[in-house]
Amino acid sequence: MSSNPLEEQVGRIVGNVLAADGAIYLPEVGSLCAERRKARQLTRNTVRPPYREVVFSSQQRGVSLVEEIARVLETSGMAAAEAASTAREVYARWLGRSREGDTLTVSGVGVLRFKQFTLDEAFDRRLNPQGHAPVKVRPAGRPDWVIWLGAVAIVAAAGIGIYSYLTTRPAQQPAPAVALSQTTAPESVAGSDSATLAQPLQNADIAADGKMQAVSSTAEETASAQASAAAVQPAPESPARPAAASVDEPAKMTSKRSYVVLGVFSTPENAARAARDAASGDVAITCGVYRFGAKYLVSPFESDDPEACTLFIRAHAGRFPGMWTYTAR
């Protein structure tokens, strides 16, 4: 019995529903449901990553495969009533070809045998691109001594600069007063008219010259004090920011800190590519790359509070499905 093209697409329809973490009901058979399994620590240094599997249920769950076939027919322009009738015929023929006794083969997805569903290898890779192999985790050590040494050096330099500024800053002094005696008129002197006229002019010249010298001396001292204060005062430093995990140089994870895991990769090139892809969307997300045993872990978010990681995963589940939380030991 020959099959038409729509019967050959039934397996693809089932696979698309399961890949979206859904469930699909096969009339006269049961339901296939995609379920997520959390990461599990097997030993002190070994972690099994989270994965998805397909389980069978005898109860009706999810959408009906017949309705999904009808929806595909309607998108091609077929009327709703005709599409529903044709979908039932297509499903009946597909079920007759795919089921043999207690075994049902869904092409491109897997095989149902005695209520146990086994995924095809290609579809398993689609659901679990990171694989199922346990990952070895290197125990987190103490913080690098270089970081502590750098922090101490920064604090010491800041302390020396502040102390130097406070001790060498020139004290504010009042401006020197101009001698008023030079600007006052001299006492009356008995004598000729020429001596009486010459003495006020001479005193006036002395007074004007003394006032100019006093003003010039005051300006020079003020400029010198301002220059000394500017030379001693240290330039303001920008606030230090925590060092982020570099994509090019994978970093070590901090003990007891929780990380949202976007994926685990076997090479740094693959990890760097995943981090760049995450930053290229409509809402850019900066990812860090960390050493994860012999592999490399890509994390878009980290926090000391595991609940914060859970909220981040929920907020970005639509764009990055399959994220999970790992807490460093």
Side-chain angles (χ1 to χ4, degrees):
M1 180 176 57
S2 60
S3 60
N4 60 34
L6 187 57
E7 291 180 31
E8 297 176 354
Q9 296 182 18
V10 172
R12 184 179 304 173
I13 295 174
V14 175
N16 290 340
V17 173
L18 295 177
D21 290 341
I24 189 164
Y25 172 64
L26 283 61
E28 303 179 18
V29 178
S31 302
L32 297 177
C33 312
E35 296 184 356
R36 293 179 176 269
R37 300 291 183 255
K38 296 182 179 180
R40 179 182 177 186
Q41 187 162 4
L42 303 178
T43 63
R44 182 174 180 271
N45 299 328
T46 306
V47 174
R48 185 191 65 187
Y51 65 95
R52 292 187 291 177
E53 67 175 355
V54 176
V55 298
F56 173 78
S57 174
S58 301
Q59 300 178 353
Q60 181 175 352
R61 296 175 58 184
V63 297
S64 172
L65 179 55
V66 176
E67 294 178 358
E68 286 295 302
I69 297 174
R71 185 180 60 82
V72 174
L73 292 173
E74 290 179 13
T75 58
S76 63
M78 186 178 296
E82 184 181 358
S85 176
T86 305
R88 287 191 294 269
E89 296 176 1
V90 171
Y91 175 75
R93 290 196 300 268
W94 172 83
L95 185 62
R97 288 192 310 106
S98 303
R99 183 166 59 177
E100 296 181 1
D102 294 328
T103 302
L104 174 65
T105 302
V106 182
S107 179
V109 179
V111 178
L112 176 64
R113 183 180 292 107
F114 298 109
K115 299 184 179 182
Q116 182 70 30
F117 193 81
T118 304
L119 292 175
D120 281 355
E121 183 177 352
F123 190 70
D124 190 7
R125 287 196 299 269
R126 180 181 176 184
L127 291 182
N128 305 291
Q130 78 280 2
H132 299 274
V135 179
K136 291 185 178 180
V137 181
R138 181 180 301 173
R142 296 180 179 178
D144 195 347
W145 64 271
V146 177
I147 298 177
W148 288 108
L149 183 60
V152 172
I154 293 174
V155 174
I160 293 174
I162 295 174
Y163 176 79
S164 176
Y165 169 74
L166 295 177
T167 55
T168 60
R169 182 177 59 180
Q172 297 182 356
Q173 297 179 356
V178 179
L180 298 178
S181 60
Q182 296 179 354
T183 62
T184 58
E187 297 179 358
S188 300
V189 180
S192 63
D193 295 339
S194 60
T196 304
L197 295 174
Q199 187 65 30
L201 293 176
Q202 182 178 4
N203 289 337
D205 294 337
I206 294 174
D209 183 63
K211 183 177 182 180
M212 292 177 62
Q213 290 180 357
V215 171
S216 175
S217 176
T218 303
E220 290 179 357
E221 291 181 1
T222 304
S224 176
Q226 293 177 351
S228 300
V232 173
Q233 183 175 4
E237 298 181 357
S238 59
R241 301 180 60 187
S246 173
V247 172
D248 298 327
E249 298 181 1
K252 294 181 180 179
M253 288 183 282
T254 303
S255 177
K256 297 183 180 180
R257 189 170 179 84
S258 297
Y259 297 81
V260 173
V261 181
L262 182 65
V264 178
F265 302 87
S266 57
T267 63
E269 292 79 10
N270 292 341
R273 187 181 303 110
R276 287 193 298 270
D277 291 343
S280 63
D282 296 337
V283 180
I285 294 182
T286 303
C287 294
V289 178
Y290 300 87
R291 296 189 180 277
F292 196 62
K295 298 187 179 183
Y296 302 90
L297 182 146
V298 177
S299 174
F301 181 80
E302 60 183 82
S303 174
D304 293 331
D305 184 6
E307 183 63 23
C309 296
T310 302
L311 295 176
F312 180 89
I313 292 174
R314 292 177 181 173
H316 298 82
R319 183 181 172 192
F320 301 104
M323 292 190 295
W324 50 285
T325 302
Y326 173 72
T327 302
R329 297 181 61 86

